[in-house]
């Protein structure tokens, strides 16, 4: 006995059929363009297509080497501006970069911190191909915070932090990038800038009203007075707290506001390389980090790769501005994800693939 089929169902099936047919045709077209293209780019039906050039991979970023660079900084102790540990670490950073870069500049000066005290600072600038006109800026801060004012124990609030993640991690990644650039030279200019006095901002316990712009003093100075007159870079990438396990670099607000096309470049490469967990397409809050002044004062579109939590009670990693920010926080897996991603940006930029 023939079963009655409702009319509506027939037409739905027909629609589906047409849909599958369309998909089949599309599939043929794709196959025709990608697989059946001869080396000259001529397809079977006589049209010419440009074969998609596979984008190149960067040299290997060594996570172990980056980890050792972070540990070396932490071994100096807290790197608080004005202390002997800070001075010793500076000397080591300068001589390390001198071994890798074409030119290293120490930009020295003095700034007034939140409590009125004047302190000396040194921004360290390591340049590759200083004469090249197309340049990329890579940066991090190298000083550490004098106060663990977010520590659970108020007795620790006046003590300095070790700053393995904040910001030994960013500096460690940049040192490893410098080492790789030395043995695999590029034609474009690369400036690695290590800012001083980023983390001397007004602590929560300081008396009186909250003051504006007390963080990022080294980068505020550099943004107004770059190390060379008329300095220009195509774009910048700031690394801040890039070493903790399972770090998630949500898209920081000012990066999106001032440099969304650079966010796109960096995050898409991170995802392509398999680091999608670390580089989620998820918006985070704006942070007044060094890149804020690089964007608004120096006018260089700069993104901040910064670990941002999304747990409702803290913006940063739980060790942030506490005595817990030591080597136990640092995970080479995260250093690798960040370093390999940034290296790939640099080498693709060099080859004109971005
Ligand atoms: C502010 O919260 C104003 N600045 C955070 C920038 C920072 C501090 N990065 C590391 N330590
Ligand atoms: Zn900090």
């Amino acid at each position: 006995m023939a079963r009655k089929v409702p009319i509506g169902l027939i037409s739905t099936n027909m629609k589906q059929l047409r849909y599958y047919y369309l998909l089949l045709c599309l599939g043929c077209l794709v196959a025709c363009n990608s697989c059946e293209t001869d080396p000259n780019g001529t397809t079977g039906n006589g049209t010419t297509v440009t074969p998609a050039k596979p984008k190149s991979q960067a040299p290997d970023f060594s996570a172990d080497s980056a980890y050792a660079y972070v540990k070396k900084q932490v071994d100096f102790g807290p790197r608080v501006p004005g202390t002997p540990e800070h001075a010793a670490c500076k000397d080591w950073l300068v001589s390390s970069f001198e071994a890798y870069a074409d030119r290293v500049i120490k930009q020295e000066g003095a700034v007034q911190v939140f409590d009125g005290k004047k302190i000396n600072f040194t921004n360290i600038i390591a340049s590759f191909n200083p004469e090249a006109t197309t340049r990329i800026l890579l940066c991090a801060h190298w000083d550490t915070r004098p106060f663990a004012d977010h520590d659970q124990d108020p007795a620790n609030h006046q003590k300095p932090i070790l700053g393995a993640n904040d910001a030994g991690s960013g500096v460690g990644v940049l040192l490893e990038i410098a080492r790789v650039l030395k043995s695999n030279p590029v034609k474009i200019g690369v400036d690695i800038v290590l800012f001083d006095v980023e983390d001397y901002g007004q602590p929560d316990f300081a008396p009186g009203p909250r003051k504006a712009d007390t963080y990022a003093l080294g980068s505020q100075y550099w943004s107004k007075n770059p190390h060379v007159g008329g300095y220009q870079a195509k774009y910048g990438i700031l690394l801040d707290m890039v070493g903790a396990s399972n770090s998630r670099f949500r898209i920081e607000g000012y990066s999106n506001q001032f440099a969304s096309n650079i966010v796109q470049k960096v995050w898409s490469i991170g995802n392509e390389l398999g680091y999608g967990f670390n580089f989620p397409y998820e918006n985070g809050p704006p942070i007044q980090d060094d890149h804020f002044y690089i964007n608004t004062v120096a006018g260089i579109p700069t993104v901040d790769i910064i670990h941002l939590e999304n747990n409702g009670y803290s913006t940063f990693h739980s060790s942030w501005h506490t005595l817990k920010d030591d080597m136990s926080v640092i995970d080479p897996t995260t250093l690798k994800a960040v370093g390999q991603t940034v290296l790939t940006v640099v080498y693709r930029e060099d080859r004109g693939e971005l």
Side-chain angles (χ1 to χ4, degrees), residues 223-242:
S223 297
K224 286 183 216 135
N225 317 280
H227 60 288
V228 288
Y231 177 76
Q232 289 210 324
K234 204 168 163 189
Y235 54 90
I237 302 174
L238 173 67
L239 307 182
D240 196 4
M241 301 184 276
V242 293

Side-chain angles (χ1 to χ4, degrees), residues 141 145 161 166 198-199 215 241 320-321:
H141 75 87
R145 186 156 179 76
I161 67 166
D166 181 10
E198 189 278 341
D199 233 346
Y215 284 85
M241 301 184 276
W320 183 69
H321 293 182

Side-chain angles (χ1 to χ4, degrees), residues 36-336:
E36 293 166 19
T37 302
D38 70 24
N40 301 321
T42 312
T43 59
N45 58 22
T47 53
T48 303
V49 291
T50 316
K53 239 200 304 173
K55 290 189 172 178
S56 44
Q57 301 302 317
D60 192 55
F61 177 95
S62 164
D64 291 345
S65 171
Y67 183 91
Y69 289 137
V70 181
K71 183 171 186 307
K72 176 76 186 183
Q73 294 169 78
V74 171
D75 285 344
F76 284 105
R79 282 87 67 210
V80 174
T83 65
E85 294 81 4
H86 179 265
C89 185
K90 173 183 69 189
D91 291 344
W92 172 73
L93 287 170
V94 169
S95 57
S96 302
F97 277 110
E98 276 171 350
Y100 301 139
D102 297 317
R103 188 179 75 191
V104 178
I105 292 177
K106 287 189 275 184
Q107 182 182 54
E108 295 173 328
V111 284
Q112 201 169 41
V113 294
F114 72 94
D115 61 1
K117 212 172 23 186
K118 267 216 153 185
I119 53 167
N120 295 324
F121 73 86
T122 307
N123 291 327
I124 302 165
I125 302 104
S127 298
F128 294 82
N129 303 327
E131 309 306 331
T133 47
T134 302
R135 314 199 63 78
I136 297 180
L137 167 69
L138 306 176
C139 44
H141 75 87
W142 73 273
D143 64 304
T144 56
R145 186 156 179 76
F147 331 102
D149 53 341
H150 272 255
D151 202 278
Q152 276 194 325
D153 182 353
N156 291 333
H157 285 187
Q158 309 273 354
K159 298 180 186 165
I161 67 166
L162 275 173
N165 197 32
D166 181 10
S169 60
V171 173
V173 167
L174 293 179
L175 271 163
E176 173 59 8
I177 287 177
R179 192 187 67 82
V180 172
L181 283 172
K182 170 79 178 176
S183 43
N184 306 267
V186 291
K187 297 178 297 300
I188 56 167
V190 178
D191 301 293
I192 295 179
V193 180
L194 304 184
F195 297 115
D196 200 358
V197 217
E198 189 278 341
D199 233 346
Y200 218 121
Q202 184 181 30
D204 293 351
F205 57 73
R210 299 297 303 166
K211 296 175 184 165
D213 303 308
T214 62
Y215 284 85
L217 299 181
S219 58
Q220 290 189 52
Y221 182 95
W222 180 87
S223 297
K224 286 183 216 135
N225 317 280
H227 60 288
V228 288
Y231 177 76
Q232 289 210 324
K234 204 168 163 189
Y235 54 90
I237 302 174
L238 173 67
L239 307 182
D240 196 4
M241 301 184 276
V242 293
S245 312
N246 302 318
S247 285
R248 304 207 80 187
F249 309 116
R250 294 189 167 80
I251 301 170
E252 183 277 332
Y254 293 125
S255 307
N256 221 9
Q257 183 180 336
F258 295 111
S260 59
N261 57 330
I262 314 306
V263 167
Q264 187 51 37
K265 287 188 196 213
V266 176
W267 265 247
S268 65
I269 287 176
N271 278 268
E272 177 198 321
L273 298 182
Y275 307 124
F277 176 85
N278 305 101
F279 289 92
Y281 289 101
E282 229 176 271
N283 290 326
I287 306 294
Q288 250 184 45
D289 211 340
D290 294 311
H291 75 310
F292 176 76
Y293 303 97
I294 303 172
N295 277 297
T296 60
V297 179
I300 300 167
T302 302
V303 300
D304 193 5
I305 301 181
I306 181 169
H307 176 130
L308 295 170
E309 291 288 350
N310 190 20
N311 57 20
Y313 56 91
S314 101
T315 309
F316 305 120
H317 190 261
S318 59
S319 68
W320 183 69
H321 293 182
T322 76
L323 296 191
K324 291 205 169 77
D325 186 358
D326 58 21
M327 282 312 285
S328 68
V329 173
I330 305 300
D331 184 343
T333 311
T334 307
L335 300 174
K336 171 74 178 178

